[in-house]
């Protein structure tokens, strides 16, 4: 495995740690570890910059989907400072995955995320 592959996979692992952190303090620490200062997150439902706002978006997802966790669904692919990957939001109770998407991230020099561009591939009606 190349150093660049490790860089992408490590960044995506920190990203999922942030998205799956349930306690507010742990979530804030995980966001700070995953995103560079001034980093951003954009998807069809959100467009925010900064750790506090990213933390709030993640908290809102947990509020909307309690008992769910984000899971990587395939390999992380990357080149230069950009990586892409797909994910699902999985119910810990029954294993259903009503939400799925694909994200493209750009990394800062320290390996933290500078920006995320997320796409929703599967969303339940009314969500």
């Amino acid at each position: 495995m190349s150093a660049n592959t490790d860089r992408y996979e490590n960044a995506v692992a920190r990203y999922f740690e942030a998205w799956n952190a349930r306690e507010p303090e742990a979530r804030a620490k995980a966001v700070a570890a995953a995103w560079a200062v001034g980093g951003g997150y954009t998807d069809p439902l959100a467009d925010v910059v900064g750790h506090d706002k990213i933390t709030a978006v993640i908290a809102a997802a947990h509020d909307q989907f309690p008992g769910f966790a984000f899971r990587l669904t395939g390999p992380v692919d990357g080149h230069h400072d950009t990586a892409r990957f797909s994910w699902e939001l999985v119910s810990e109770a029954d294993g259903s995955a009503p939400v799925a998407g694909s994200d493209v991230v750009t990394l800062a020099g320290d390996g933290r995320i500078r920006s995320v561009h997320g796409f929703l591939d599967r969303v339940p009606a009314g969500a």
Side-chain angles (χ1 to χ4, degrees):
M1 183 177 294
S2 75
N4 277 339
T5 299
D6 287 346
R7 181 175 183 233
Y8 307 133
E9 290 182 355
N10 290 337
V12 172
R14 288 190 306 272
Y15 176 84
F16 281 103
E17 287 174 21
W19 276 97
N20 287 323
R22 296 208 172 140
E23 299 300 320
E25 186 174 318
R27 186 179 302 129
K29 284 182 181 181
V31 166
W35 270 269
V37 173
Y41 177 85
T42 302
D43 72 14
L45 306 173
D47 186 9
V48 298
V49 173
H51 292 170
D52 290 344
K53 290 181 180 176
I54 294 166
T55 299
V57 167
I58 294 171
H62 282 277
D63 290 346
Q64 185 174 3
F65 294 97
F68 283 75
F70 289 87
R71 302 282 186 251
L72 187 65
T73 60
V76 176
D77 183 27
H79 62 81
H80 297 87
D81 289 330
T82 305
R84 67 178 176 168
F85 55 93
S86 296
W87 52 268
E88 290 182 320
L89 184 60
V90 180
S91 168
E92 295 170 341
D94 65 13
S96 64
V99 182
S102 300
D103 291 353
V104 176
V105 300
T106 57
L107 303 179
D110 66 1
R112 291 189 295 166
I113 297 168
R114 184 175 31 218
S115 66
V116 176
H117 291 88
F119 297 85
L120 298 173
D121 301 325
R122 181 174 61 239
V123 179

